[in-house]
Amino acid sequence: MEAKQLSKQEFIQLVHNFEENPNQWNFLGKRPALIDIYASWCGPCQRLAPILDELAEEYAGKIDIYKVDVDSDRAVPRAYKIKSVPTLIFAPIDNDMQMMPGTMTKTQLSSAIEKILLNS
C-alpha cells in the first residue's frame, strides 16, 4: 500500500474544505490522517516517500496517509501558508491539525503517529 496522492478537489473532500472554511479547521476524514506536502525535486521529500509508503502499509485501516505535490497543486500549500517542503500535516479526528516542517525518521514518524493521531 502506498500513500495516496491527492488533488486539490480530493483534499477538499477527504481532509478539509479550506475554500468554505478558510479560518477554521474542520477535518472531514473517517480516520486520522497524515498528509505529506512535498515536491518531486526535493531530496528530503524523496527520502521520506518510501517511509510514508511503509507506514501506509503498517497503519492500514488505522490512519490514512496522503500526499500533495506543491508543483501540481499550489492551492493546498497556499491555503496553509506552507513555505518549505516537506511539511507534514497531522490530522487527528477530534483535535486541531499540527504541521511539522522537515523530515523525520521512520521511528520518529511512528512515534508522532501514535502520540498525535492514535493518542497512544
Side-chain angles (χ1 to χ4, degrees), residues 41-74:
W41 46 262
C42 161
C45 300
Q46 292 168 0
R47 289 189 293 280
L48 185 60
I51 294 170
L52 292 173
D53 290 341
E54 288 176 27
L55 291 171
E57 182 74 32
E58 290 174 26
Y59 287 97
K62 294 180 182 175
I63 69 168
D64 293 316
I65 299 182
Y66 300 126
K67 298 166 57 165
V68 176
D69 184 344
V70 297
D71 291 325
S72 1
D73 205 329
R74 297 179 189 271

Side-chain angles (χ1 to χ4, degrees), residues 87-98:
T87 293
L88 298 171
I89 299 174
F90 290 83
I93 291 290
D94 296 327
N95 292 315
D96 285 338
M97 60 96 159
Q98 294 183 34

